[in-house]
Every structure is written in structure tokens, then in C-alpha cells.
Amino acid sequence: DQMNPLLKMKFIGDLTLGGAEATLTLFTAGKVAAALSTKGFWGSLAGDFSANATEGFSAFLDAISPVVYFIIFVLFGIGISLSIYLPFIPFIFWIAAAANWLVSVLVGATGGTLWAATHIGIEGDKGHRSSYGYVFLIDVMIRPMLMVFGFVFASIVIVALGTLLNLMFGSTIANVQANSITGLASVIGILMVYARICTTAVTRVFSLQVTMPDYIISWLGGREAASILGGMAESTKNIFAGFSHGLQRSPGVKFNHKGSNNEQGDGIK
């Protein structure tokens, strides 16, 4: 059935996030069970029957822990960006556009008295120094309406663009992976590409709420408003983009760092 592209993007993010949480839960339960099977009463009971199998299973879980945790953290990053960050993008840009309008109102209230003095002139004065004040007055009055138009236009564009993306992405995957079998790595890579395309497209499109009023006001002879929250969307995205930076400090994930080479080393720096 036809679904709004934003809802479909969030649905894929929910599935990815839920899958990552379920995998983490199952893997943790497996490690706990393997640890308990070698200790206490149940460990001694299991050891009477299959000591080697129990120790081998525990060693296997310890060996694959770094890879499993890495995959889980990648899936968490993809799921959070699609399920949580992406639906907040329109709201983030709306707050940024509202902040620009509030700045214009406060600047107008502060400079209104001084603007009245610009109407004082002499006969034969070429041009008028008060012209920019009228453009600024128009800015304050029509910016909220332009913000609404920007949101409406962005909603229309993202439906068309998102529908095209979802329709063509499956065919693109079929062509890219036609003669290639890379297993789980390809699935994670495809999800990463899809998540980046979705978040970038939604961010660029819904920035119309901020850029559209500035463009139209500049056509009338004014200049762009002071965007005090212009970097808020990027700052929010950096929180999720930096999610993987803490991977090396995550429990259970160990990286070997060699400060110097030795004769028994593998020669890889």
C-alpha cells in the first residue's frame, strides 16, 4: 500500500533499531548462559556431559564479540538516525525559522524609533534613507506566511522525492548486487547508504522553511535575516553521526594498540 515516504523511512528505522536491540539481547543472553554453564552446580553438571563443547562455545562467543558489537553499534546508528533524528528534522528547521522571525521582530522594535528619523530630509534629496525600513517592515509581516509556504512546499517535494527514492532503490540494489554475494556486510552497507540519502534529502528539503523567506525578502531589496539557529540541524545530526566514535570505549570491544614494533610482530603498523 502507498505510504508517506517519511513514515516508510521511519518504519525502516524502527525495524533496524528493533533488530539491533533484539540481537544485543540475544547475544548478551548467550554470553551469560555460556558463562554460567562453566560455573556452579549447573556448570559441574554440564561439565560431566559436554565440558569441551561448553568451553568451546564460550570461547567462540568471546572470539566473535568485537565483530558482533561492531555490527550492533552500526545498526543502532542507522536505526536511530532514521527512527528518531529524521522525524525531528521538520521541527528543527521550524524552530530555526521561528527564531529568525523573532530576531526580526526584536530588531524592528529596537530600531523603529531611529527609523522614524530617516524620514527627515531636504528638498532635492535623491533617494530616501527610509526605504530599507519599509522592506524590513515587510519582512516582519510576511515572514511567518513564507515559513508556512516553505513547509507546505517542502512537504510536497519530499513526498515526490521520497516516493521516487523508495521505488527506485530496490531496482538499484538489484543492479548493484546482480553478481555479488557479500552477505551481512552488503545489507549493512545498503542500510547505511539509504539512511544517509534519506537524512540528507529531508534536511535539504525542509531547510526551505529557513531559506525561502530569506530568498524572497532579498528579492524585495532586503537582506538575509540573522540566522541565529542556522547550524542547529547540523549540530543535532553530529550527535548521531558521532555515535560510532565511542565504539573503542564500549564494553566488550577491545582493540590492540602496539606502541612499538618487535621481532614477533606481524609487521602491520
Side-chain angles (χ1 to χ4, degrees), residues 212-231:
M212 183 177 173
D214 291 339
Y215 288 154
I216 295 179
I217 296 301
S218 64
W219 293 347
L220 299 179
R223 60 182 180 180
E224 295 183 1
S227 183
I228 60 175
L229 297 180

Side-chain angles (χ1 to χ4, degrees), residues 166-181 186 190:
N166 292 327
L167 286 176
M168 297 183 63
F169 198 73
S171 301
T172 304
I173 295 174
N175 292 324
V176 171
Q177 297 292 110
N179 298 320
S180 177
I181 301 176
S186 63
I190 290 170

Side-chain angles (χ1 to χ4, degrees), residues 37-38 43-58:
S37 63
T38 58
S44 60
L45 182 62
D48 295 337
F49 296 96
S50 57
N52 293 332
T54 302
E55 293 178 358
F57 181 68
S58 179

Side-chain angles (χ1 to χ4, degrees), residues 56-80:
F57 181 68
S58 179
F60 172 75
L61 292 180
D62 291 337
I64 66 172
S65 291
V67 177
V68 173
Y69 281 125
F70 174 78
I71 294 174
I72 290 174
F73 279 117
V74 171
L75 293 178
F76 267 119
I78 296 172
I80 290 175

Side-chain angles (χ1 to χ4, degrees), residues 2 9 57 81 85 95 99 102 122 129 132 140 142 162 168 179 183 204 207 229 237 260:
Q2 183 66 28
M9 296 173 188
F57 181 68
S81 64
Y85 169 66
I95 292 297
L102 290 175
I122 59 177
R129 293 169 294 179
Y132 178 74
V140 174
I142 70 172
M168 297 183 63
N179 298 320
R204 301 297 184 185
S207 64
L229 297 180
K237 184 175 70 174
S260 59

Side-chain angles (χ1 to χ4, degrees), residues 26-199:
L26 292 176
F27 186 74
T28 303
K31 293 197 68 174
V32 171
L36 292 177
S37 63
T38 58
K39 298 178 180 180
F41 172 76
W42 295 108
S44 60
L45 182 62
D48 295 337
F49 296 96
S50 57
N52 293 332
T54 302
E55 293 178 358
F57 181 68
S58 179
F60 172 75
L61 292 180
D62 291 337
I64 66 172
S65 291
V67 177
V68 173
Y69 281 125
F70 174 78
I71 294 174
I72 290 174
F73 279 117
V74 171
L75 293 178
F76 267 119
I78 296 172
I80 290 175
S81 64
L82 287 177
S83 178
I84 298 177
Y85 169 66
L86 188 141
F88 275 98
I89 292 177
F91 174 75
I92 292 172
F93 278 105
W94 183 262
I95 292 297
N100 293 345
W101 178 69
L102 290 175
V103 169
S104 299
V105 172
L106 294 176
V107 171
T110 304
T113 305
L114 299 176
W115 176 52
T118 61
H119 291 77
I120 302 175
I122 59 177
E123 186 177 355
D125 187 11
K126 295 182 179 181
H128 211 289
R129 293 169 294 179
S130 63
S131 58
Y132 178 74
Y134 288 103
V135 176
F136 190 85
L137 182 61
I138 295 174
D139 182 1
V140 174
M141 295 179 64
I142 70 172
R143 182 172 287 273
M145 180 184 65
L146 296 177
M147 289 165 49
V148 175
F149 278 125
F151 178 79
V152 173
F153 294 158
S155 302
I156 296 173
V157 171
I158 200 60
V159 168
L161 186 62
T163 302
L164 183 64
L165 170 64
N166 292 327
L167 286 176
M168 297 183 63
F169 198 73
S171 301
T172 304
I173 295 174
N175 292 324
V176 171
Q177 297 292 110
N179 298 320
S180 177
I181 301 176
T182 51
L184 183 61
S186 63
V187 176
I188 295 176
I190 290 170
L191 285 175
M192 292 174 65
V193 172
Y194 181 78
R196 179 55 60 92
I197 293 175
C198 292
T199 53

